Every structure is written in C-alpha cells, then in structure tokens.
Amino acid sequence: MKTFQIHRAATVPQPLREVFSFFAEAGNLEAITPPWLHFRILTPRPLVMRSGLKIDYQLRLHGLRLHWQSEISVWDPPYGFVDEQIKGPYRRWVHHHRFSEGPDGTTVEDHVEYAVWGSGLVDRLIVAPRLKQIFDYRQQKLARLLNESTDDGLTS
C-alpha cells in the first residue's frame, strides 16, 4: 500500500497548555473544519479525550455523505496526540498533532500519513489538492481563533 503525507505548521501567540486545551475539546474540531465539508461529530458529548476514545463523524465530500470513525491512539498532554481512522474513506489515516512552545507562542503541527483507494493518480488529482485546502483552511482558522482568543478557553 503506497502512503502519502501532508504536513502543516502554524505558530499562535498563546501558551502551550491553553492551545492544547483548545484541541482537548473535541467540539473545536468542527470550528476549524471548512464549512463546505458539512462536518459533524456524531458521538454524544461531552467527550473526554484520552487514549482509546472512539469518535464518530459525518461529512459531505463531492456530494457524498461519508461516515468516519477515529480512535485516539496516543494521548500525551500537552505535547500531542494521534488519531487513527478505524472506518472511513481512506485505506489508512494516521494524524499526528504536535504542540511545542517557543518564544513566539505555541507551534501547532499536523502531520498525516494516509493511503487512498486507487492509484497515486487518484491522490495527485483528487485527494492531495483537497487535503491541502482542508489543512490550509484549518491552520488559518486556528490562527484566527487563537489570535482573537481570551484566556478563558480560547474560543471567544
């Protein structure tokens, strides 16, 4: 199975623990997902993020309704976590979320290793361009939310 990767990073002017707290609230995933995906978390809330947590989602891509289940396979507050697709549109999806604090704030990194159904051509023509759009949106929205945040939860 041929795998592909996407990596994005952004630095936001917030302390590490506050940024991690934003990600520890699963509902914030909806806030940083492009609206054209019609993304919804189906698992009843509140969700307590931890290793082994399974989360069900629904989204719409190219007019198709897709169901996705992921599992938090690694939970390492406040430095990172990993979610892996259990059921969904990819042959493989392993998403590393990494957080590190520096002089300008916290760097948020997304690193995804994934495999698609079909060939590398499917990835190059369809999947990779869409993932780049999604993760570029995500980084921009995250920077906007956390730059406009307050100290009481980052989502004012």
Side-chain angles (χ1 to χ4, degrees):
M1 171 173 36
K2 182 170 173 73
T3 60
F4 305 95
Q5 297 182 26
I6 185 166
H7 183 86
R8 291 289 185 272
T11 300
V12 295
Q14 298 291 339
L16 173 66
R17 293 195 184 280
E18 290 184 25
V19 173
F20 191 84
S21 291
F22 177 85
F23 282 87
E25 171 53 50
N28 284 332
L29 182 55
E30 292 175 342
I32 61 173
T33 300
W36 45 264
L37 284 175
H38 305 283
F39 179 87
R40 288 187 321 137
I41 296 174
L42 301 176
T43 303
R45 295 182 222 180
L47 296 171
V48 178
M49 296 289 276
R50 58 178 170 69
S51 290
L53 175 67
K54 292 182 181 169
I55 307 172
D56 292 298
Y57 314 92
Q58 178 179 292
L59 60 111
R60 191 176 304 270
L61 188 59
H62 303 292
L64 299 172
R65 185 178 302 181
L66 302 172
H67 292 274
W68 187 318
Q69 183 181 70
S70 66
E71 180 175 355
I72 305 300
S73 58
V74 174
W75 185 249
D76 183 26
Y79 305 106
F81 64 98
V82 177
D83 65 84
E84 297 188 44
Q85 175 190 280
I86 305 294
K87 298 176 190 171
Y90 294 90
R91 292 183 70 191
R92 175 177 171 78
W93 177 273
V94 180
H95 184 178
H96 295 262
H97 305 256
R98 297 182 187 119
F99 307 92
S100 58
E101 194 163 30
D104 297 327
T106 300
T107 299
V108 178
E109 293 182 76
D110 288 295
H111 182 83
V112 180
E113 180 183 318
Y114 66 97
V116 300
W117 298 100
S119 67
L121 187 61
V122 170
D123 179 64
R124 192 168 58 250
L125 295 178
I126 300 169
V127 178
R130 185 58 82 186
L131 285 178
K132 288 175 185 170
Q133 284 181 319
I134 291 167
F135 279 93
D136 287 347
Y137 177 93
R138 184 182 162 106
Q139 292 293 327
Q140 291 166 7
K141 183 73 178 215
L142 179 66
R144 238 183 355 264
L145 285 171
L146 297 186
N147 284 328
E148 296 169 0
S149 67
T150 64
D151 290 338
D152 64 356
L154 301 173
T155 56
S156 65

